Structures are given as structure tokens and as C-alpha cells.
Amino acid sequence: MAAMQHILMIEDDARLAQMVGEYLERSGFRVTHAIDAKAGLALLQEPGPAGRTDLVLLDLMLPDMDGLEVCRRVRALPGELGSVPVLMLTAKGDPMDRIVGLEIGADDYLPKPFEPRELLARIRAILRRRGGEGTPPAAKVMRFGTLEIDRDARMVSVMEQPCDLTSYQFDLLVALAERAGRVLTRDQIMEAVRGRELEAFDRSIDVHMGRIRAAIEADPKNPKRILTVRGVGYVFAKQQD
């Protein structure tokens, strides 16, 4: 399984940082919070137990240093540290701040207040453009006991027997398998397969899950692979067969 991507959030608003951090963690990221520029730059250069940083979420207005200066200092760091993606957040409405931020190397810019979903979409878009820097390449074939999921061929088999899934159901299964052991809400599952044409209602996910279970479970009425977490969503079991 690929390691969780690590976001370093440099933000002096503790309440906002907690809200955003919790949302990003529920969306599959690992988040470290720094309350000011000094702490953030130190964490970036000496990650310690936090691990390598895949993206910096940077507030423009910090108590000890302007966010633009922080971005300049990040870009001046040697090697991979200096190329870490930076997404700037600000309450300022001046378009010049955005222009300057982008000119000195920020990857994107999001004004406050913002919708958490938009922030998440922008983070994921940056990481996709960067080619997934900071995470190992995804395995072409995922294996869970007798279940095999071939990403390139877009085929699923159990005990070497092919399973009949639609393209959309294949994408849903991959989204769950990539996050094996994590409970996902229906919204999170739909977000994970964004870019596909999605049905409007959450319950459509339940119908598809039933069909996926019929294809991959030995006993769809007593599933061992895709489990329902009542009131929350679904989880793909890590240990199978």
C-alpha cells in the first residue's frame, strides 16, 4: 500500500487549522500543523517523525513573517525541499498578492473563506500535476488473497476467474482497495472517483456496492471483503481469504 501523503500546514488560526486538518485527514492525508513561519520552516527542514512533506499549505498572513517571504525561503532550500508544492491561503483580496505569490513559486492560491472540498480538489490537482511526488508509484496489480485487481487491464479476478464489473464499478472497487482498512463515507467514495459521471444520490453507491459484492464475494449476503459500517459508509478489509 502507498504511504499517506503528508501536508505541512503553516497557519496561525488554530481553529481553522484544526478544522482543515481534520477534514484532510478524513480524506486520506497526514497533516502536521505549525502555528507560525519559524516553526513551519523548521518542520519542513527537519521533518523527524512527521516524515517527508508532500505539500505545504501556507497562510499568507503570519505573525512572525509574511507568507510570501516564507515561500521565497522554501524555494531557496536545496534539492527536493525547495521544490515542495506550496498552496497559499489568504484573507486578502488584492490580486497582486496572488500574482506575486505565483511569481515567486507558489503552485496555487486560494482566498479565505473557502469550501473544504475546493481546497481538497486543489491539493489533489497540484499533487497530480507533480506526478505524485512524495509517494511510491501505485502497484499495477493489487492482490488481496485470491482477489486480484489489475489497474492497467482494468480487470478483476477471484481465484483466477474474471469478475463481471462495469467500468464505474471497477473504479469504485479500486478506490476502496487503495484505502484498505479505512472507513469511507459515500461522499468520500464519490470524491475518490471524481471525473467519472456520478449519479446524484448517495444511495446509488449502495446499489453498486451490492453488485460488486455479487461479483467478488463468496457469499454476498455475508461479505468478507467490502464491509458496511452502519451510519458511516464502507471499508475494504485488509485481511482476506
Side-chain angles (χ1 to χ4, degrees):
M1 296 294 295
M4 293 175 69
Q5 290 174 304
H6 176 219
I7 294 175
L8 171 60
M9 178 166 43
I10 307 176
E11 168 63 66
D12 65 327
D13 185 332
R15 183 178 178 184
L16 176 64
Q18 181 179 1
M19 179 192 73
V20 171
E22 290 176 352
Y23 180 82
L24 293 177
E25 286 174 350
R26 290 196 302 270
S27 300
F29 292 95
R30 190 159 47 85
V31 180
T32 301
H33 174 223
I35 198 71
D36 56 28
K38 181 179 179 181
L41 289 168
L43 283 169
L44 179 62
Q45 295 175 80
E46 299 178 8
R52 171 176 167 164
T53 298
D54 296 297
L55 181 140
V56 175
L57 197 56
L58 175 63
D59 184 25
L60 185 61
M61 301 181 69
L62 295 166
D64 58 338
M65 190 184 300
D66 184 270
L68 294 174
E69 178 60 26
V70 176
C71 189
R72 289 190 188 95
R73 294 194 183 191
V74 170
R75 289 292 172 253
L77 293 172
E80 293 182 352
L81 286 176
S83 64
V84 63
V86 175
L87 196 166
M88 283 190 164
L89 302 175
T90 182
K92 286 187 176 181
D94 187 349
M96 283 305 298
D97 287 330
R98 179 176 185 274
I99 293 169
V100 173
L102 295 174
E103 284 181 345
I104 64 176
D107 293 78
D108 203 352
Y109 193 104
L110 186 62
K112 300 176 183 177
F114 53 83
E115 288 292 330
R117 279 194 171 196
E118 182 179 1
L119 173 63
L120 178 62
R122 286 174 182 253
I123 288 172
R124 286 175 167 164
I126 291 170
L127 293 173
R128 283 199 305 275
R129 290 198 299 269
R130 289 293 181 113
E133 288 184 27
T135 56
K140 293 182 179 180
V141 179
M142 293 185 287
R143 295 181 175 85
F144 302 88
T146 59
L147 172 67
E148 289 191 1
I149 304 171
D150 188 326
R151 299 169 189 267
D152 287 353
R154 295 184 65 80
M155 292 181 62
V156 178
S157 63
V158 175
M159 298 182 67
E160 301 184 351
Q161 296 301 309
C163 301
D164 186 18
L165 295 175
T166 66
S167 180
Y168 181 57
Q169 289 160 10
F170 178 87
D171 290 340
L172 289 173
L173 178 59
V174 168
L176 283 169
E178 286 177 337
R179 299 159 180 81
R182 282 184 49 211
V183 177
L184 301 178
T185 65
R186 293 174 180 83
D187 280 347
Q188 287 172 328
I189 295 169
M190 294 176 79
E191 175 68 17
V193 294
R194 71 198 180 286
R196 300 281 303 170
E197 192 171 309
L198 302 177
E199 287 84 352
F201 301 101
D202 281 1
R203 292 298 168 185
S204 68
I205 292 290
D206 298 338
V207 174
H208 286 296
M209 289 301 169
R211 291 171 181 167
I212 295 170
R213 283 169 169 163
I216 70 171
E217 299 278 7
D219 181 0
K221 292 184 179 180
N222 295 288
K224 302 297 183 184
R225 302 178 189 279
I226 298 177
L227 309 178
T228 299
V229 180
R230 293 190 180 279
V232 183
Y234 295 93
V235 60
F236 189 90
K238 283 185 176 182
Q239 301 298 327
Q240 301 176 9
D241 300 324

